[in-house]
Amino acid sequence: MPQRKNAKGAQPANPFFWKHPCLPQVSALMKTFSIGQRPSGIAEMAKEHLGTGGKRFRALMTLQAADLLGVSQRSAIYWAAAVELIHNATLVHDDIQDGDTTRRGRPTVWKKHGVGQAINVGDLMLMVPYQILSCADFAPAQLRQLLGAFAHRTVETVRGQSLEMTLKDNLNFDRDTYIQALRGKTGQLLALTVEGPLILSEVDPLRASQIASGFEALGIAFQIYDDIWDLYADKGRGQVGNDLREGKISALLIAHLERCPEDRMVAAEILSKPFEEVTTEDVAFWERRFEHSGAKAACETWAEEFVEMAVTTVPDQPLRGLVEDVATALGLKNLKERS
Amino acid sequence: MPQRKNAKGAQPANPFFWKHPCLPQVSALMKTFSIGQRPSGIAEMAKEHLGTGGKRFRALMTLQAADLLGVSQRSAIYWAAAVELIHNATLVHDDIQDGDTTRRGRPTVWKKHGVGQAINVGDLMLMVPYQILSCADFAPAQLRQLLGAFAHRTVETVRGQSLEMTLKDNLNFDRDTYIQALRGKTGQLLALTVEGPLILSEVDPLRASQIASGFEALGIAFQIYDDIWDLYADKGRGQVGNDLREGKISALLIAHLERCPEDRMVAAEILSKPFEEVTTEDVAFWERRFEHSGAKAACETWAEEFVEMAVTTVPDQPLRGLVEDVATALGLKNLKERS
């Protein structure tokens, strides 16, 4: 999932995209279903996490796609709530996996309530979306297609998350595997936002899946840019080099090792250093190294290729405009200005 | 979920129940869907966990219910695989939560692959069932009902698991809350095994849910007996008093504190002791105490009431036989002999 905490400074204003009259209804659905009929500890914890907000980016994408495709808002809000909840579930579990102690400026669920309950809260928000789908007013014939798409892509999200963690434990990673991980952990939920409205607008499911894959590509492009921004960001984005400090595999590192395989051992050393032992000099060293090897430029080209792929995969109308809005919102490219 | 590791000695032979010609097909479905189309680390981990076996109790219940209700095996195997996978997902996450290092005689997923990947493996096995449901040949009109039941009860399972963990942190528990936790974490998946076949046999969904709730009661009865067995088991069941050693809230403790509220502080003390510091004398002390206060007898009566509830909730035919078989298999009562 996009590590949006690292990308604040990179998001240009795109006010039309960030608002939608149905968003409050989506948030209400998310809360109602997560809380359930009885007050309980887990309901409170889920409410607390959902109360931290977030931009509801995936819900907005769903609502925008539904508008463009002429899908009823009544159906779209259920799909939007389901996708957004899965996203939040992955955040809660991610925070345990990464040991992150804050999210959206508040303590993470595991930090506040312990790992065990955070697993439960994540599990709840993985399951509730299916309850939401069963309660929506989808036509019976469409429900199977919608369920199939939803289940397939959420399974792929988990696979991607796991694959990325495998990469960290193993320096024998390669570009294809890295992309596969990004396509899973970030791409699938972005694709799902539009796949639901496409199926609801009676586009053939296979075609819906193909079009949606354009949004997978946007997710991949975003993650590659995010890796670049982490090291070369403009002022105002906080400390640079957090990926290196945290020992994360990044697109920069992969591109660099393609060019300088002899650096593998030095790379392994920096990745295995504890966070606080990585110095500003270490970060500056790799900044220069990635620039000199051409890794930075290669990653920029690489990300641009995925944006291009998104543009060519999504047909001109009516969803091309959404590709442009999402790309702009994610700080990828102002496609409108470029063309 | 039933802590069957503690109940080995309590299961009388019930050979007809433990075999079903479709079980290999169910196991094959579970593996195929969990592994997916590409070999990967998470697929291997899931395969490894599923390879540890287990009795596939919930799958067997589904298959038996389907036979009794005249539901096609072709549909039943999908439902059986889905329920059994959810059960396995909860085991993987449970083991993290309880810090258990072995399961079915092998290292648990988190012990072998770390907490992060074990969260992923559990998440995968929570999601894959929905993919399985979307691929089954259920009639479109039934899919919504099946999905609704499945999602509702899996959500309740998570809520129950969370509630039980809340009890541990808080000595102000009461019997109703404890039962609610058991109904969630153990009852829901047992109920789900028969609810699917009931819906598939075109029983009205509301009636299907009512009948299925009889199997919730069996799950509760089993857990209460399991608490008793843990302290008063016959020889051959290993060390007694593990619940006390692990600081678990048990039915015995709840019934005892109802009778002797003045023991609350002493109880809190034993529950907070580390596992290895609880002595055989401590265990013997509570064994006697629960017997003298009448807590043991009360729990036996209490469990029997839930078995009775199961019998009266499930109509005579065709599912009453299954109630009897399951009760016997779980070591609850040989209902046939009693009647």
Side-chain angles (χ1 to χ4, degrees):
Chain A
M1 50 282 345
Q3 294 152 349
R4 281 174 291 146
K5 64 185 170 193
N6 294 338
K8 278 175 208 153
Q11 283 161 0
N14 189 356
F16 300 109
F17 190 77
W18 299 112
K19 285 181 188 168
H20 194 285
C22 292
L23 200 56
Q25 285 172 267
V26 174
S27 292
L29 270 181
M30 288 166 68
K31 281 191 188 156
T32 306
F33 275 88
S34 300
I35 291 165
Q37 290 154 337
R38 293 181 305 270
S40 70
I42 196 170
E44 276 307 306
M45 290 181 251
K47 195 176 156 190
E48 202 176 271
H49 170 81
L50 293 175
T52 63
K55 287 187 283 303
R56 307 279 190 242
F57 189 70
R58 287 151 195 80
L60 284 161
M61 280 181 68
T62 300
L63 296 170
Q64 293 273 355
D67 286 351
L68 292 168
L69 293 160
V71 169
S72 83
Q73 293 181 338
R74 210 174 123 192
S75 295
I77 56 171
Y78 282 86
W79 188 261
V83 179
E84 192 66 41
L85 272 172
I86 290 276
H87 170 62
N88 276 277
T90 64
L91 295 183
V92 171
H93 281 181
D94 264 19
D95 286 338
I96 306 172
Q97 291 163 330
D98 297 343
D100 285 334
T101 55
T102 59
R103 157 93 47 198
R104 299 167 184 160
R106 311 228 195 132
T108 49
V109 183
W110 76 264
K111 182 70 185 170
K112 189 160 176 193
H113 302 286
V115 167
Q117 288 290 15
I119 291 175
N120 291 333
V121 172
D123 287 354
L124 182 80
M125 294 196 296
L126 287 177
M127 299 285 98
V128 163
Y130 292 96
Q131 219 179 345
I132 293 179
L133 295 186
S134 77
C135 292
D137 68 342
F138 307 140
Q142 284 177 341
L143 180 62
R144 185 191 306 274
Q145 297 164 10
L146 290 163
L147 176 63
F150 199 88
H152 173 72
R153 290 197 187 269
T154 54
V155 165
E156 290 301 309
T157 303
V158 179
R159 289 193 203 279
Q161 173 69 3
S162 172
L163 185 60
E164 202 204 25
M165 289 172 62
T166 316
L167 288 179
K168 282 192 213 173
D169 303 335
N170 174 9
L171 269 181
N172 287 320
F173 48 80
D174 60 71
R175 196 199 280 216
D176 287 351
T177 313
Y178 184 67
I179 293 300
Q180 196 184 322
L182 298 188
R183 186 182 299 281
K185 73 173 203 136
T186 305
Q188 298 303 321
L189 295 191
L190 292 189
L192 211 48
T193 62
V194 297
E195 193 168 357
L198 280 164
I199 294 171
L200 287 166
S201 72
E202 299 188 2
V203 170
D204 168 74
L206 194 64
R207 181 77 187 118
S209 173
Q210 284 166 346
I211 297 172
S213 71
F215 291 83
E216 286 175 29
L218 277 189
I220 297 167
F222 171 70
Q223 288 287 23
I224 296 170
Y225 273 124
D226 203 50
D227 288 353
I228 303 171
W229 294 329
D230 183 76
L231 202 56
Y232 300 95
D234 298 327
K235 282 172 190 166
R237 293 192 66 233
Q239 180 174 262
V240 295
N242 272 334
D243 287 352
L244 275 173
R245 289 174 214 270
E246 290 174 9
K248 279 189 189 166
I249 302 302
S250 71
L252 287 164
L253 193 66
I254 290 173
H256 179 75
L257 292 181
E258 283 176 0
R259 282 153 185 78
C260 311
E262 68 278 11
D263 275 4
R264 192 167 292 271
M265 294 312 295
V266 202
E269 204 180 310
I270 185 90
L271 291 178
S272 64
K273 261 195 185 179
F275 188 95
E276 54 286 345
E277 287 180 24
V278 178
T279 64
T280 314
E281 289 70 38
D282 287 334
V283 172
F285 169 81
W286 285 102
E287 244 183 72
R288 286 192 304 273
R289 203 135 184 80
F290 291 157
E291 228 165 334
H292 291 161
S293 71
K296 188 194 173 200
C299 285
E300 281 162 350
T301 309
W302 197 11
E304 277 165 27
E305 283 167 7
F306 279 103
V307 176
E308 279 301 318
M309 194 185 296
V311 172
T312 52
T313 307
V314 180
D316 286 355
Q317 289 305 329
L319 288 182
R320 174 67 61 80
L322 186 61
V323 174
E324 289 165 354
D325 281 351
V326 171
T328 307
L330 292 176
L332 302 183
K333 273 287 175 203
N334 193 327
L335 296 177
K336 278 179 186 155
E337 282 182 12
R338 196 178 51 163
S339 60
Chain B
M1 49 277 354
Q3 293 152 349
R4 280 175 290 147
K5 62 184 174 194
N6 293 338
K8 277 175 210 152
Q11 283 160 359
N14 189 355
F16 299 109
F17 190 76
W18 298 113
K19 283 181 189 169
H20 195 286
C22 292
L23 199 56
Q25 285 172 268
V26 174
S27 293
L29 269 181
M30 289 166 68
K31 281 193 189 155
T32 305
F33 274 88
S34 300
I35 292 166
Q37 292 153 337
R38 293 181 305 271
S40 71
I42 195 169
E44 275 308 306
M45 290 180 250
K47 194 176 156 189
E48 202 176 272
H49 170 80
L50 294 176
T52 63
K55 288 187 283 304
R56 307 278 188 243
F57 188 70
R58 287 150 194 80
L60 283 160
M61 281 180 68
T62 302
L63 295 170
Q64 294 273 354
D67 285 352
L68 292 168
L69 293 160
V71 169
S72 84
Q73 293 181 337
R74 211 174 123 192
S75 294
I77 57 170
Y78 282 86
W79 188 262
V83 179
E84 192 66 42
L85 271 172
I86 291 276
H87 170 61
N88 276 277
T90 64
L91 296 182
V92 171
H93 281 181
D94 265 18
D95 287 336
I96 306 172
Q97 291 163 331
D98 296 344
D100 286 335
T101 56
T102 58
R103 158 90 50 195
R104 298 166 184 160
R106 311 227 196 132
T108 49
V109 183
W110 76 265
K111 184 70 184 167
K112 188 158 177 196
H113 302 286
V115 167
Q117 288 290 16
I119 291 174
N120 291 333
V121 172
D123 287 354
L124 182 81
M125 294 196 296
L126 287 177
M127 300 284 99
V128 163
Y130 292 97
Q131 219 179 347
I132 292 180
L133 296 185
S134 77
C135 291
D137 68 342
F138 306 141
Q142 285 176 341
L143 180 62
R144 185 190 307 273
Q145 297 164 9
L146 290 164
L147 176 63
F150 199 89
H152 173 74
R153 290 198 187 269
T154 54
V155 165
E156 290 301 308
T157 303
V158 179
R159 288 194 203 278
Q161 173 70 2
S162 173
L163 185 60
E164 202 204 24
M165 289 171 62
T166 316
L167 289 179
K168 281 191 213 173
D169 303 334
N170 175 9
L171 269 183
N172 287 320
F173 48 81
D174 60 71
R175 196 199 280 217
D176 287 350
T177 313
Y178 183 67
I179 292 301
Q180 196 185 323
L182 298 188
R183 187 182 298 281
K185 71 173 204 136
T186 305
Q188 298 303 321
L189 295 191
L190 292 189
L192 211 47
T193 62
V194 296
E195 193 168 357
L198 281 163
I199 294 171
L200 286 166
S201 72
E202 298 188 2
V203 170
D204 168 73
L206 194 64
R207 180 80 187 115
S209 173
Q210 283 167 346
I211 298 173
S213 72
F215 292 84
E216 286 175 29
L218 277 190
I220 296 168
F222 171 70
Q223 287 286 22
I224 297 170
Y225 274 124
D226 203 51
D227 287 353
I228 303 171
W229 295 329
D230 182 76
L231 202 56
Y232 300 95
D234 298 327
K235 282 174 192 165
R237 293 193 65 236
Q239 180 173 264
V240 296
N242 272 335
D243 287 351
L244 275 174
R245 289 174 214 271
E246 289 174 9
K248 279 189 188 166
I249 303 301
S250 72
L252 288 164
L253 193 66
I254 290 174
H256 179 76
L257 293 181
E258 283 176 0
R259 281 153 186 80
C260 311
E262 67 278 11
D263 275 4
R264 191 168 291 271
M265 294 312 295
V266 202
E269 203 179 313
I270 185 88
L271 291 179
S272 62
K273 261 196 187 180
F275 189 96
E276 54 287 347
E277 287 180 23
V278 179
T279 64
T280 314
E281 289 70 37
D282 287 334
V283 172
F285 169 82
W286 285 103
E287 244 182 72
R288 286 192 306 273
R289 203 132 185 80
F290 291 157
E291 228 163 336
H292 291 162
S293 70
K296 187 192 174 199
C299 286
E300 281 163 350
T301 309
W302 196 12
E304 276 165 29
E305 282 166 9
F306 279 102
V307 176
E308 278 303 316
M309 194 184 297
V311 172
T312 52
T313 307
V314 180
D316 285 356
Q317 290 303 331
L319 287 183
R320 174 66 61 79
L322 186 62
V323 174
E324 290 164 353
D325 281 350
V326 170
T328 307
L330 292 176
L332 302 184
K333 272 287 176 206
N334 193 328
L335 295 177
K336 278 179 186 154
E337 284 181 11
R338 196 178 51 163
S339 62

